[in-house]
Amino acid sequence: MNAEIKKPIKRMGGPERIGKPIKRVDAGEKIGGEAKYIADIEFEDMLYARTLRSTVARGKIVSIDIPELPRGYYIVDKSDVTGRNRVKIIFYDMPFFAEDEVNYIGEPILLVVGPDREEILNILSKIKVVYEKIDPILSMEQAIDNTNVPIFGENNIYAQYAYSKGNLDDIAKNDVRVYEGEYSTGYQEHIYLETQGVVATYVDEKIKIWGSMQCPYFIKDAVVEALGFDESRVQVIQATTGGGFGGKEEYPSLIAGQVAVAAYKIKRPIRLIFDRDEDIEVTTKRHPTKIKIKSYVSLDNKILGMKVDIKIDGGAYSGLSNIVLQRTMFAAIGVYNVENIKVSGVALATNKVIGGGFRGFGAPQAFFALEMHMDYVAKEQGINALELRKLNILKQGDFSSTGGVIREHIMLPEIIQTIENMSKYKNKIETPKEKGILKGIGCSLIFHGCGFTGSGERDIIKAKVKLLKHVDRTVEILISNVEMGQGALTTLKKIVAYTLEIPIERVVFENPDTDRVPDSGPTVASRTTTIVGKLLQDAALEMKELMGNDDELEILKQYKHPKGFEWDDVNFKGDAYNTYAWGANVVEVEVNPITYEVSVTDIYVVFDIGEAIDDLIVRGQIEGGMVQGLGYAGMEVMEHKGGKLLQKTNTDYIIPTSMDFPKIQSKLVNNPYIDGPYGAKGVGETTLIGAAAAYALAVQNAIGHNINKIPVTPEYLMEVMRDDN
C-alpha cells in the first residue's frame, strides 16, 4: 500500500513540554440567564405521559384491558402511529410501540397521557395485559444454540464480520508457542445525572421536539418516519443536557417518536421524563462480551500471530450493535504490531435489555481482554509484562490490524517511559510480596480511533458546519453537535475565537435547533473536537479574510476526507481511522486477604491526545473517564434473572464517588495531529478505555491468580482463590 507517512507538526509556539497546553484565548465567560433542562420546560396546557411496559421477557400480546378513562386522559399506542412503527437506527427491527409480541422486560406497549401524574399512575395500575409466553433466549450460548424460536432472522445474529491480515495458518505450522484465553465483561449503566426526557408540541402542522440528547438529527429522522411527515414539518431542539456518555445517542429517538405521535394525536404539548429506576431498568447498556484470544509467540517473545473471536450480547433489538461490534473488532489487536491475524465477531440477539452506545463503544471490552491476555503470555514466556509490550508495540510505518498504514509518529515509547518514571512500575512489579495486605500494580496500553470508522465521516456523516457573523460583530457557531458536560461549548468557542483573533465573549454557541443548524453529525466517537472543530477552524480562517465590514456574513464548510486514506467497508481493509489517540494507565491496589475488598491506592495516566485545547476540560475528561472505567472494572454489577435486571435502582447499582479513588496523576505528551484543530485529537473516550484492564491486572498481581472477567468483585475473587487452591 502506497501512502505518505506524515511527520508530526511542530507545536505552535512555546517550549516542548509534557502536560499543559498553550493558553490561546481567555476562557472566562460572563454568566447570564439560566440553563433550562427538559424538566424545566413548561408549556400552556401541557400533559404528562408515562409508559406501560412489558412484564415478561418474551411473549405474544393476547389482550390489553384498559379501564374507562377519565375525561382528559388518553391512550397512545401502535394504532396512532401514522407513519412507520419502527425506530430508525441501523436496522428497522425495534417498534416505537409493541405490536403483536414483546421481546424484553420493560418494552414499551403504550403511553398513558393526562394532566395529573398521580392519576396516570392509577390508570397504569389498572391496565391488564394478557401474554402467551414464549421461551426466551437469555444468554449468548442460548442464542448460538438456536433451540428456541429465533428473535432476529433465522439464527439470532444481528451482525457477523471477519477480517484477516497475513497468513495465520502458516504461522501456526511453525515452531511457536501457543497461548489461549477467554475473557468476559458485563453490563454497564450510564447513570448520567439527568434522566431521559423529551417534550413534543404540534402547532401549525409542525412537530417540535425538545429533549435531553446527543444527536438532534438522529431524532429528527426517526420522528419523520414515525409520523410520515415531510422533513420540513419536524423540528428538534436540544435542551440543556445533563450527561450522556452514549446513552443519549440512539435511545432518545425511541421516546421522541412516541411523544411526537402523542402530540400529533392529542394536539397538546406532551412531556415524558423517566424517573431514575425506570431509566436504569429499560434504557440501553454497555454490551456484555465474551472474547477468545489465541496467540502465537516466538521464543524471542515476538507475537507472530493472533486469532480473536468476539461475541457481544445485543439484547432484544439490534440498535447500534453492528457498529459497536466493528469497533470492538478493530481494537482487538490493540497497540501491537502483529503481522498475521484473524478476527471474527458476532452480535447476538437475546431477550434482555438492549445494548447501545457507551463511552468507548466496544473498545474497553476489547482492551480488557487483550491486555489481560498479554500479561498471561508474558507470565508463560517468563518475561516482564511491560517488556513484552515494548517489544511488540506499533511504530510509524507499521500497518494496523486492518492493513492501514500508521502515518504519524507514535509516542508509545515516550508514554511508557513517562508512566514508568511516575509510577516506579518496574520496581514495584518486581518487589516480592509481603504478608498481610496484598498489594498489586497493573499497566495497560491503549489507543482510540478518533472519529467514525472507515468511510463513515466521508460517505455517511458528510458533516457540515456554519459560521454566521451578525451585524453586531458577534460570530455564531451553527452545528448539530451538543454540549452535554464534556466541554464542547468552551472548546469550540475557543477554536473560533483564537482563529478570528476576537474575544471569546463575541462567539455565540447556542443549543442546536435543526431548523437553524446544518447536520454536522452526532456527538459521539470522540469526533466533536477532531472533526467538527477542524471544520470550524477552516470556516473561521475563511471568515477572517472577509471580515472587513459590518455586514452579516455566512460561511459554510463540509467535511473532506484527507487524501491517501482508503477503506474497504466490505472486507474491513485499509484505514479504519485517520488518526489515533494513545495512552498508558497504571493502577495500584491493596486487596484485603480476608474480605477480598479492593482499595485503589494510586492511579497514573499518560495520554497522547494531540494538542489539548483547554487544560481544565482535558483534566476533567481524564478524571471522569478513569473513574467511570474503574467503576466498570470493580463495582458496577448488573445481572439479570429470567431477563429481569436485579440491580435497577441507585441503591443496588453502585457507581464510584469522589471518595472511592485517590488523586489521579496525569500527564500529556505533545504530539499534534496535522489534520486536527491546532493539532487536537479525541480525548473523551480515550480516558476510559484502559482503566478496567489496569485495575484487573493490579488485582491479579496482588492475589497471584489469573482474572478473566469484570467486574472484579470480592465474591468473584473468593471464587478465583477457592478454585485455584
Side-chain angles (χ1 to χ4, degrees), residues 352-364:
K352 296 184 293 184
V353 66
I354 303 163
F358 202 133
R359 192 178 193 174
F361 218 72

Side-chain angles (χ1 to χ4, degrees), residues 240-306:
T240 301
T241 297
F245 308 118
K248 293 174 184 172
E249 178 177 351
E250 79 279 26
Y251 192 85
S253 295
L254 169 67
I255 57 175
Q258 294 170 343
V259 174
V261 169
Y264 182 55
K265 173 181 178 175
I266 302 168
K267 307 298 188 289
R268 287 175 65 178
I270 311 293
R271 185 165 77 185
L272 173 63
I273 299 178
F274 290 3
D275 62 30
R276 180 62 68 181
D277 291 359
E278 181 181 24
D279 200 295
I280 293 174
E281 186 171 14
V282 304
T283 59
T284 55
K285 308 286 178 273
R286 191 184 294 283
H287 290 75
T289 64
K290 291 192 176 179
I291 301 175
K292 291 182 179 180
I293 303 177
K294 188 174 186 179
S295 57
Y296 302 83
V297 186
S298 68
L299 298 179
D300 60 350
N301 300 308
K302 293 293 290 182
I303 302 172
L304 303 177
M306 274 191 174

